[in-house]
Amino acid sequence: FFLSFSGMVQKLDQKLPVANEYLLLSGGVREGVVDIDLDELNVYARGTDYDMDFTLLVPALKLHDRNQPVTLDMRHSALCHSWLSLRLFDEGTISKWKDCCTIVDHINGATNYFFSPTKVADWFYDSISIVLSEIQKKPQRGMPKVEKVEKNGTIISIILGVGSSRMLYDIVPVVSFKGWPAVAQSWLMENHFWDGKITEEEVISGFYLVPACSYKGKKDNEWRLSFARSEVQLKKCISSSLMQAYQACKAIIIKLLSRPKAISPYHLRSMMLWACDRLPANYLAQEDYAAHFLLGLIDDLQHCLVNKMCPNYFIPQCNMLEHLSEETVMLHARKLSSVRSDPTEHLRTAIEHVKAANRLTLELQRRGSTTSSPSPQSDGGDTNQPDDRLAKKLQQLVTENPGKSISVFINPDDVTRPHFRIDDKFF
């Protein structure tokens, strides 16, 4: 379904690359899978609003023909952010995307077009809305039911009803690069926990600009560097017990530290990567140390809050907590102290929330199977079972390939033949 409508979006005005590459991540933006501010996102609850969540990075522009470090225009931006001039592209690209740019005229008479994340997000939302409207006018057998389409800041959130499952997709328009940004070049010179486990070529295969600005930046112009593709690779080198501790810690803090918005799961992910670099590999490999690791992550987070310092893993000179007030960090530090004094109780509460969400999902599915009438987007046949298989297959594809890069290649002229790639293997 997504591959089909992505091809239709491309055909509207031929803005998207003809043969595009999409990165699918397990977990929504609210789960911290990419570094995007959460304060502009509507609150969705697992069990109440959705059952499974994913993030789909959709390149609006690609720069894939460079072998040297990519130099970005960071003169106007905070660290880890950049403006993007369309001078890097050909005249055809500039002509197509002019209406999604801010224009700066120079004294010498030259005009510079800066790719605008807010205008790109507006265009993408409008295009998706047009295409979904057209699709729903001519429903086909087995088509998912579009239950919600909302613009949350610069991302588009879509909830699909697939059989008795509800799947949340946070769709993020991005700029995709092959290679590595020059600003993060020094990071490669340091020793890291993944050395010898995966190759440097796997880690630096590409990066993105995502539509998020700094706290003092200009929203219409500023993009944030994202290393989502690299993070997928690094997860291969993290032990299962540490990942368990990370998931547990995330479940605790995602509600406890949600107001005021200050700490996101992405901060916690960065702290975990730093811990992997800092601690001995044989200690992190202990299979029965998940409880130790949970306490360690809480302590690391507490340390970051008290010192108001959380370096970006790939660009350490960027402090991701620099903008916070002293009152906010001390408020969260006090909350975290209560967790550290009784982690078992807080973890039990988090588990009960998950169980309640699962019970709600099962109850909604049970009601749907006993009272639902045929979907107007189907031909009245019993499509719930195959649709459920489709939903579960996608979930299985992501969960059975932990740490692997799952990409989708689309040709809008033949959307019946998508290609899924897991690392270098195609399906």
Side-chain angles (χ1 to χ4, degrees), residues 356-387:
N358 289 340
R359 286 194 297 270
L360 183 56
T361 294
L362 292 173
E363 176 63 21
L364 291 171
Q365 289 178 344
R366 185 188 65 78
R367 290 179 190 172
S369 64
T370 57
T371 64
S372 64
S373 57
S375 167
Q377 296 182 1
S378 72
D379 61 0
D382 182 12
T383 59
N384 275 2
Q385 188 174 0
D387 279 353

Side-chain angles (χ1 to χ4, degrees), residues 30-81:
R30 296 156 191 80
E31 293 289 313
V33 296
V34 287
D35 183 17
I36 290 182
D37 307 319
L38 304 181
D39 54 356
E40 292 187 343
L41 303 183
N42 292 340
V43 176
Y44 301 145
R46 186 183 298 273
T48 303
D49 300 303
Y50 66 91
D51 308 310
M52 304 176 231
D53 54 338
F54 302 93
T55 299
L56 189 65
L57 304 188
V58 179
L61 288 176
K62 298 192 301 181
L63 265 177
H64 281 191
D65 56 350
R66 307 232 167 168
N67 295 317
Q68 69 272 21
V70 180
T71 301
L72 297 167
D73 187 354
M74 309 182 84
R75 295 170 297 170
H76 317 284
S77 308
L79 272 170
C80 213
H81 296 79

